[in-house]
Amino acid sequence: MKSLMITKYGDISSSLEQQEVTRPIIEANQILIKTYSSSFNPYDYKVVKGDFKAMGKISFPIGIGRDVSGIVEEVGKSVKKFKVGDKVYSRPNESFVGTMAEYVVTNDEDTALMPSNLNFDESASIPLVGLTSYQALVDIAKLSKGESILIHAGSGGIGTFAIQLAKHLGAKVTTTTSTKNISFVKSLGADKVIDYTSQNYLDEGAVFDVVYDTLGSNYTLDSFKVLKSGGRVVSIAGTIDSITAEQFGLNKFIRMILSFQARKVTKAAAKMNAMYRFLFMSPNGDQLEKLAKLYESGTIKPLIDKVFNFDESIQALEYLAKGRAKGKVIVKIREDI
């Protein structure tokens, strides 16, 4: 079968290659998905660039892609929830990364039936961004009705989902974007929009109960400048905190280095009596079921910027890396049935 593979660390055009690989063999609790659509996320091009070398060694070549929608081709003998022919979607476990492929293996517990009102492209736009923001806002931040949240980069794949989810939870949503995307993010439910080309979100003052840091770098530390005392900062791009480092199973030496790097953030959080957590999302089929219901009810709508064919998958990742996509970038692995 064909699969897009990372062959080395480096730039996108020279580090990715479509290769013929052996079709995977499933175990008792796994399913084999005949892939129809997949999608890229910023995490993918960061892996190619080598941004996560400290998290563990990679043996090249290795697959790329963490979102999949398709049809169940085969089920393991212990699988009860799914049958051959089911339309499903998943964010596979890291052991099975490589959804830019004609077939994908995933654990049954990491899989759910696709939202009944969505097609393969739309369903493939959901798993990673949906699970990431659900776990950030519901599980960690515990965002509640009437609270105020700042969501950075509201027009991106994460932002477009997070705005809709935060509004569903009853929060007052402020987001940042560029001038051309103001009406777009307002249409998703944003109550206030900060145009970063002419405004500074730091001028808001300490008014937010929750800051969802999707950008990292200086934005992580600056989150505490706009946070109420006792507020919560959840980051998917900033400094890794000690709890997450332990969850990763990193050795003590690496954790010590990360702790040193996080000292400014840790100090800022303590000063504000605030919570800081770095989130590395976990695959979760039960949560995908909950998300499917939100899409089926029309509470959340899929946002797709552009769809590429499988043979254009390298160009698709290059396009995403430019940082201008409004919503998700989809790769159609095969034509819809």
Side-chain angles (χ1 to χ4, degrees), residues 14 46 88 95 97 102 134 144 178 193 196 203-204 231 245 272 296 325 331-332:
S14 64
K46 291 177 182 178
V88 296
S95 303
V97 164
E102 292 181 304
Y134 188 92
S144 59
S178 61
V193 182
Y196 66 73
D203 293 338
E204 296 296 300
M272 295 294 298
E296 288 169 349
V331 175
K332 188 184 288 293

Side-chain angles (χ1 to χ4, degrees), residues 278-294:
F278 176 91
L279 169 69
F280 190 85
M281 61 76 56
S282 301
N284 190 312
D286 290 340
Q287 290 181 347
L288 285 178
E289 286 184 16
K290 292 178 182 178
L291 295 179
K293 291 176 182 176
L294 292 177

Side-chain angles (χ1 to χ4, degrees), residues 202-222:
L202 293 175
D203 293 338
E204 296 296 300
V207 297
F208 298 106
D209 298 289
V210 175
V211 176
Y212 188 21
D213 168 36
T214 63
L215 298 174
S217 191
N218 294 335
Y219 290 93
T220 305
L221 195 57
D222 285 345

Side-chain angles (χ1 to χ4, degrees), residues 37 49 72 105 157 238 249 274:
S37 298
K49 286 164 40 182
V72 175
V105 170

Side-chain angles (χ1 to χ4, degrees), residues 125-306:
S125 75
I126 300 168
L128 189 140
V129 298
L131 290 173
T132 298
S133 291
Y134 188 92
Q135 291 169 18
L137 304 189
V138 177
D139 294 346
I140 297 178
K142 294 179 170 45
L143 183 66
S144 59
K145 187 176 181 179
E147 289 193 311
S148 181
I149 182 172
L150 172 64
I151 298 170
H152 284 298
S155 64
I158 287 282
T160 53
F161 180 91
I163 290 170
Q164 295 181 84
L165 178 61
K167 288 304 296 180
H168 169 66
L169 295 171
K172 292 176 284 187
V173 178
T174 299
T175 191
T176 60
T177 194
S178 61
T179 309
K180 65 179 181 179
N181 292 324
I182 291 175
S183 59
F184 172 61
V185 295
K186 281 185 176 179
S187 73
L188 300 177
D191 298 292
K192 184 173 183 177
V193 182
I194 298 171
D195 181 353
Y196 66 73
T197 66
S198 59
Q199 300 169 286
N200 189 340
Y201 74 96
L202 293 175
D203 293 338
E204 296 296 300
V207 297
F208 298 106
D209 298 289
V210 175
V211 176
Y212 188 21
D213 168 36
T214 63
L215 298 174
S217 191
N218 294 335
Y219 290 93
T220 305
L221 195 57
D222 285 345
S223 295
F224 298 96
K225 296 177 182 178
V226 294
L227 193 70
K228 293 178 183 177
S229 177
R232 293 93 76 197
V233 175
V234 183
S235 177
I236 59 171
T239 306
I240 297 175
D241 65 285
S242 58
I243 296 174
T244 305
E246 195 166 337
Q247 287 177 343
F248 280 154
L250 301 178
N251 64 50
K252 288 185 179 180
F253 179 69
I254 296 294
R255 279 156 54 188
M256 184 176 68
I257 293 173
L258 292 172
S259 177
F260 180 75
Q261 293 174 340
R263 66 194 186 284
K264 289 184 179 180
V265 171
T266 304
K267 185 176 179 181
K271 186 177 179 181
M272 295 294 298
N273 190 31
M275 180 196 79
Y276 173 79
R277 282 290 305 279
F278 176 91
L279 169 69
F280 190 85
M281 61 76 56
S282 301
N284 190 312
D286 290 340
Q287 290 181 347
L288 285 178
E289 286 184 16
K290 292 178 182 178
L291 295 179
K293 291 176 182 176
L294 292 177
Y295 281 91
E296 288 169 349
S297 68
T299 302
I300 297 180
K301 294 178 172 59
L303 276 302
I304 293 174
D305 181 274
K306 197 168 182 179

